[in-house]
């Protein structure tokens, strides 16, 4: 944190960051803003095509009943023309320059490209038996081949949904082939399904006519561990034990936390303190508007900050600056020569109390918690890929 700091810009490119006196010595007097300046943010887990289901899928009973409700609601509620467009505009208000977007239909691609949002679009497949996953893969490859042009800084990757829904050999092959995003250990029912082939996920597969349900491993993490790579995102990681955390740490995958979605669906948070202690790389996402009140990564961090007030605010903010996790390596740091996107969070001096001003804590506990809109001072301009 630099009090009375300054950023020198050439267009959207950062030239220098430092104390105002030093930057003004080199570049001349700057425009003065009463604001906290910070790099643009990353929302590492979204499902923008579920945006029309905002507030329509009640939770609280855990993941398996929530999925059933989501599927039936998705079938009965018509898609709204403007829902995805509005959601992408919301990402802009909340300072997001890069996403990890999970899609079944590529619906958000044109809107992301138009808004200049970078990152990875994960074309998600599932199917628990070999014939089902083969059909899903064929459909996904056809869809990917006909995809509209990607915006600069956007990449597309076919990716498995979850251990409990995806044929394990196909899951392994997809994660080996490129960047992937896997829902993992979101709910204790996954552990039960993997270890015992029982519980709600087993019943769900039996209802689809699948009779052979192999035991996949001690836990969902144990079942997937051998296939996880540093470029894999593992999303949620709520139901972990020490062995699971050791496996994730050894894999080097980035864990994406979506705390407000977890609270909505299962009433439980991922154990942030233990994840940090284990040294697992972390990022933050909102999940979809079907399970989260908004697409603000900072509001997610505000929720974590309330649960772990003893953790340094900058350690939490780092979760929203992990551009590398979604293939947008410049996003999240104000490095000279790069154009990561620069945000201003305006300070309302009259609303501030007495005492010292801690910008990082204020960003989480006031600006983020109240979901206030950022002002963009410079946009993210991805490096052209070779
Ligand atoms: Zn998800």
């Amino acid at each position: 944190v630099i009090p009375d700091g300054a950023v020198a810009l050439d267009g959207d490119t950062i030239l220098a960051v430092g104390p105002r006196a030093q930057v003004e010595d080199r570049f001349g007097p700057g425009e003065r803003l009463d604001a906290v300046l910070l790099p643009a943010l990353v929302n590492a887990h979204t499902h923008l095509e579920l945006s029309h289901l905002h507030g329509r899928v009640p939770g609280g009973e855990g993941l398996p009943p929530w999925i059933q409700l989501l599927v039936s609601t998705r079938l009965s509620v018509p898609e709204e023309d403007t829902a995805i467009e509005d959601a992408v505009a919301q990402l802009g208000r909340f300072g997001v320059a890069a996403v990890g977007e999970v899609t079944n239909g590529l619906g958000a691609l044109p809107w992301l490209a138009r808004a200049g949002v970078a990152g990875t679009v994960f074309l998600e497949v599932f199917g628990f038996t070999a014939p089902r996953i083969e059909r899903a893969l064929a459909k996904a490859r056809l869809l990917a081949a006909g995809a509209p042009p990607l915006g600069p800084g956007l990449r597309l990757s076919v990716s498995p949904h979850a251990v409990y829904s995806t044929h394990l050999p196909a899951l392994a092959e997809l994660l080996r082939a490129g960047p992937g995003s896997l829902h993992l250990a979101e709910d204790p029912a996954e552990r039960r399904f993997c270890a015992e082939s029982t519980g709600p996920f087993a019943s769900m597969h039996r209802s689809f006519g699948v009779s052979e349900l192999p035991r996949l491993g001690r836990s969902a993490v144990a079942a997937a561990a051998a296939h996880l790579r540093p470029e894999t995102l593992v999303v949620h990681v709520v139901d972990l034990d020490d062995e699971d955390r050791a496996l994730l740490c050894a894999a080097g995958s980035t864990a994406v936390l979506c705390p407000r979605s977890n609270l909505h669906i299962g009433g439980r948070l991922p154990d942030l303190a233990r994840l940090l202690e284990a040294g697992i790389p972390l990022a933050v996402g909102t999940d979809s508007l079907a399970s989260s009140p908004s697409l603000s990564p900072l509001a997610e961090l505000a929720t974590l900050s309330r649960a772990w007030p003893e953790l340094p605010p900058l350690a939490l903010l780092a979760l929203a600056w992990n551009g590398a996790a979604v293939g947008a390596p410049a996003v999240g740091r104000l490095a000279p020569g790069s154009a990561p996107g620069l945000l201003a969070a305006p300070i309302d001096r009259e609303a501030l109390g007495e005492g010292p001003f801690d910008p990082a804590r204020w960003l989480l506990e006031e600006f983020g918690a109240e979901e206030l809109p950022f002002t963009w001072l410079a946009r993210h301009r991805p490096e052209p890929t070779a």
Side-chain angles (χ1 to χ4, degrees):
V1 174
I2 306 169
D4 197 17
V7 181
L9 290 166
D10 178 9
D12 291 310
T13 302
I14 308 284
L15 297 178
V17 182
R20 184 168 61 87
Q22 283 178 20
V23 175
E24 289 192 331
D25 274 352
R26 280 179 66 196
F27 297 97
E31 180 190 346
R32 205 181 154 82
L33 290 172
D34 204 6
V36 176
L37 305 193
L38 65 154
L41 307 178
V42 179
N43 185 338
H45 191 68
T46 57
H47 298 257
L48 293 169
E49 68 203 13
L50 300 182
S51 298
H52 64 296
L53 302 179
H54 191 195
R56 291 178 192 252
V57 192
E61 307 284 327
L63 183 62
W66 190 84
I67 291 176
Q68 287 194 330
L69 207 52
L70 172 74
V71 170
S72 60
T73 311
R74 200 176 178 184
L75 286 172
S76 67
V77 175
E79 288 187 21
E80 291 160 28
D81 290 346
T82 57
I84 294 177
E85 187 183 1
D86 292 347
V88 172
Q90 197 185 121
L91 287 173
R93 280 201 301 285
F94 292 137
V96 173
V99 290
E101 157 70 356
V102 179
T103 176
N104 307 119
L106 300 181
L109 248 187
W111 301 108
L112 290 171
R114 194 172 302 180
V117 178
T120 308
V121 174
F122 298 100
L123 183 51
E124 175 186 77
V125 293
F126 50 89
F128 198 69
T129 60
R132 277 175 201 269
I133 194 68
E134 278 312 317
R135 281 200 296 276
L137 283 169
K139 200 175 141 199
R141 287 180 180 134
L142 207 63
L143 202 59
L150 297 172
L154 267 180
R155 62 184 183 181
L156 180 64
S157 185
V158 179
S159 185
H161 169 257
V163 171
Y164 59 82
S165 65
T166 313
H167 192 53
L168 202 54
L171 179 150
E173 195 183 316
L174 287 170
L175 294 184
R176 197 166 39 241
S181 177
L182 184 71
H183 297 89
L184 190 64
E186 184 174 357
D187 190 282
E190 293 173 53
R191 182 179 297 275
R192 186 170 169 199
F193 176 67
C194 290
E196 302 168 5
S197 309
T198 60
F201 285 124
S203 308
M204 186 180 77
H205 288 303
R206 292 207 175 88
S207 77
F208 297 153
V210 183
S211 50
E212 290 280 302
L213 290 175
R215 287 188 189 168
L216 297 174
R218 194 186 52 75
S219 66
V221 173
H227 316 301
L228 301 178
R229 306 188 157 239
E231 58 183 350
T232 311
L233 303 180
V234 290
V235 182
H236 296 304
V237 296
V238 173
D239 177 40
L240 299 183
D241 58 23
D242 287 341
E243 264 182 76
D244 294 332
R245 274 183 288 269
L247 288 169
L248 288 180
C249 190
S253 303
T254 297
V256 181
L257 311 185
C258 307
R260 294 188 303 172
S261 173
N262 299 145
L263 286 178
H264 176 77
I265 293 172
R268 189 176 153 191
L269 288 172
D271 194 333
L272 174 63
R274 281 213 171 89
L275 288 163
L276 282 170
E277 197 181 44
I280 295 165
L282 298 175
V284 69
T286 55
D287 216 343
S288 81
L289 288 174
S291 58
S292 181
S294 78
L295 301 176
S296 164
L298 221 48
E300 299 290 338
L301 296 178
T303 297
L304 292 174
S305 172
R306 270 194 294 275
W308 284 276
E310 69 283 6
L311 289 175
L314 277 173
L316 272 84
L317 286 169
L319 272 67
W321 285 326
N322 192 347
V326 298
V331 178
R333 54 193 54 78
L334 300 179
S338 75
L342 176 65
L343 304 172
I347 301 169
D348 179 359
R349 290 281 164 193
E350 282 177 20
L352 292 181
E354 299 291 308
F357 178 61
D358 177 343
R361 190 166 291 285
W362 172 81
L363 273 177
L364 290 177
E365 294 177 0
E366 309 278 337
F367 195 86
E370 291 169 24
E371 307 203 0
L372 298 174
F374 284 106
T375 304
W376 287 83
L377 301 180
R379 289 278 163 180
H380 174 224
R381 304 286 174 211
E383 296 282 313
T385 43

